[in-house]
Amino acid sequence: MSQTSSVVDRFVLAVGSAVFDAMFNGGMATTSTEIELPDVEPAAFLALLKFLYSDEVQIGPETVMTTLYTAKKYAVPALEAHCVEFLKKNLRADNAFMLLTQARLFDEPQLASLCLENIDKNTADAITAEGFTDIDLDTLVAVLERDTLGIREARLFNAVVRWSEAECQRQQLQVTPENKRKVLGKALALIRFPLMTIEEFAAGNGQGGEAAPEPDPQGPPPVPAPQIIHTDSNTVLGQNDTGFSCDGSASTFRVMFKEPVEVLPNVNYTACATLKGPDSHYGTKGLRKVTHESPTTGAKTCFTFCYAAGNNNGTSVEDGQIPELIFYT
């Protein structure tokens, strides 16, 4: 676009933008009466002008990205902040991947962090949104590297396969198993195939999952039994090997340790369990804080639950396979 500026326009632009100040008053200042801005949308530049003249913020869903680009390009941080705040308020699971791509492109780490947190909490909804298959490879890798995604590995893998098919089309490659592995590159190694059951792995290969590597003939590595772990030192404080069969009901199974586990105040502990077999019922509506009152002394102890480091395989504080912990005082 072209914008013809009067003397007043130049003064306002120079005061509000370091880039325009250098353009008009720097050592290589332009003397032309016409300024050529070839890569700026007219609506976005109009929004910048209104902000510089009157502090009026005029942005909407259709213009916020181009306005953010213009604000960053011409160094107007206050307008940039308004754009980022608008995006934060409108962040949802169905646009989290799209906004994450833009946040990384525009170097907005705070917005990117919020997008990733939203994806962690709403992974299943986020990966089914239209914007997921449009993200770039680096963004896909950044997501797959996280250990806090709230989704089963098999379902995540199916979404990655969909992304690889879309990427093949973008690169004008035939959608074949070889090309899907090619476009995935380092992202394929981030899929945790040992966390899938044999049935899930086989289903993935039969339903478009041909991007998967050949399964290890030795089988997946051994996995720990139900455990209580001292988080900082990674010391196993309690463990119990047990077995039971799900009968299709919502019944839970109590796992007791042979010896009591001492839980100290202000110390982080990790409770984990490895379950094998088909999908079953799981706990829901979990609480982040639980207060336990001793029946004998009346003393109250508050337990705070949060995400553990490592892959949670689709479970979270609110939804998971461990519906309760029993404490004795």
Side-chain angles (χ1 to χ4, degrees):
M1 67 168 285
S2 297
Q3 175 69 35
T4 302
S5 302
S6 68
V7 175
V8 176
D9 290 328
R10 285 175 174 247
F11 176 76
V12 172
L13 291 174
V15 169
S17 163
V19 174
F20 281 120
D21 184 40
M23 188 184 300
F24 298 140
N25 304 315
M28 300 181 67
T30 180
T31 58
S32 174
T33 58
E34 188 174 271
I35 306 168
E36 192 75 20
L37 305 176
D39 59 344
V40 175
E41 291 291 328
F45 190 72
L46 180 60
L48 183 142
L49 284 179
K50 285 191 173 183
F51 182 76
L52 294 181
Y53 271 103
S54 61
D55 283 339
E56 179 184 349
V57 179
Q58 188 180 53
I59 52 178
E62 277 78 41
T63 61
V64 63
M65 288 302 182
T66 55
T67 303
L68 175 60
Y69 169 79
T70 305
K72 290 185 74 73
K73 180 178 177 65
Y74 292 103
V76 185
L79 181 58
E80 176 188 342
H82 280 293
C83 291
V84 172
E85 191 62 30
F86 180 90
L87 292 172
K88 289 179 184 177
K89 290 180 179 178
N90 290 275
L91 173 61
R92 306 181 307 274
D94 61 359
N95 65 14
F97 274 108
M98 183 273 290
L99 292 183
L100 175 60
T101 301
Q102 298 297 326
R104 288 168 56 85
L105 176 64
F106 292 132
D107 190 25
E108 294 288 349
Q110 188 180 35
L111 177 59
S113 178
L114 289 175
C115 290
L116 288 169
E117 290 177 11
N118 188 287
I119 291 169
D120 283 344
K121 296 176 182 178
N122 306 284
T123 313
D125 291 332
I127 65 169
T128 57
E130 188 174 338
F132 171 73
T133 55
D134 295 330
I135 64 177
D136 59 274
L137 178 60
D138 288 340
T139 300
L140 177 66
V141 168
V143 172
L144 294 180
E145 286 177 335
R146 297 177 70 77
D147 292 323
T148 48
L149 297 175
I151 192 171
R152 293 185 66 84
E153 203 71 16
R155 190 171 180 185
L156 179 64
F157 173 56
N158 289 336
V160 171
V161 171
R162 283 194 293 109
W163 181 91
S164 70
E165 293 168 351
E167 183 64 15
C168 283
Q169 293 173 350
R170 281 190 289 269
Q171 296 188 24
Q172 297 183 335
L173 298 173
Q174 186 178 358
V175 181
T176 64
E178 293 76 15
N179 284 337
K180 285 193 282 187
R181 284 192 288 267
K182 176 182 176 182
V183 299
L184 279 170
K186 56 186 177 181
L188 185 58
L190 297 174
I191 299 295
R192 300 166 176 87
F193 291 103
L195 293 178
M196 300 183 194
T197 65
I198 295 176
E199 292 82 4
E200 287 174 334
F201 188 90
N205 277 293
Q207 299 177 13
E210 303 89 344
E214 291 297 320
D216 185 350
Q218 301 296 324
V223 288
Q227 295 177 329
I228 294 292
I229 302 170
H230 183 277
T231 304
D232 293 339
S233 65
N234 204 34
T235 303
V236 177
L237 304 178
Q239 179 170 320
N240 187 1
D241 295 309
T242 186
F244 46 77
S245 299
C246 178
D247 58 4
S249 71
S251 302
T252 58
F253 300 86
R254 183 161 295 187
V255 178
M256 304 293 289
F257 297 117
K258 294 181 179 179
E259 298 292 337
V261 176
E262 183 180 16
V263 177
L264 301 176
N266 302 315
V267 177
N268 293 326
Y269 299 90
T270 302
C272 65
T274 300
L275 306 180
K276 295 182 179 180
D279 289 347
S280 61
H281 293 274
Y282 58 90
T284 61
K285 298 181 181 179
L287 301 176
R288 290 184 176 271
K289 286 188 178 182
V290 176
T291 300
H292 174 77
E293 182 174 352
S294 171
T296 55
T297 66
K300 293 183 178 181
T301 305
C302 181
F303 296 90
T304 302
F305 297 87
C306 58
Y307 284 99
N311 187 279
N312 293 293
N313 201 27
T315 65
S316 67
V317 174
E318 293 82 9
D319 302 293
Q321 296 285 0
I322 306 177
E324 64 178 341
L325 297 176
I326 306 299
F327 298 98
Y328 296 90
T329 58

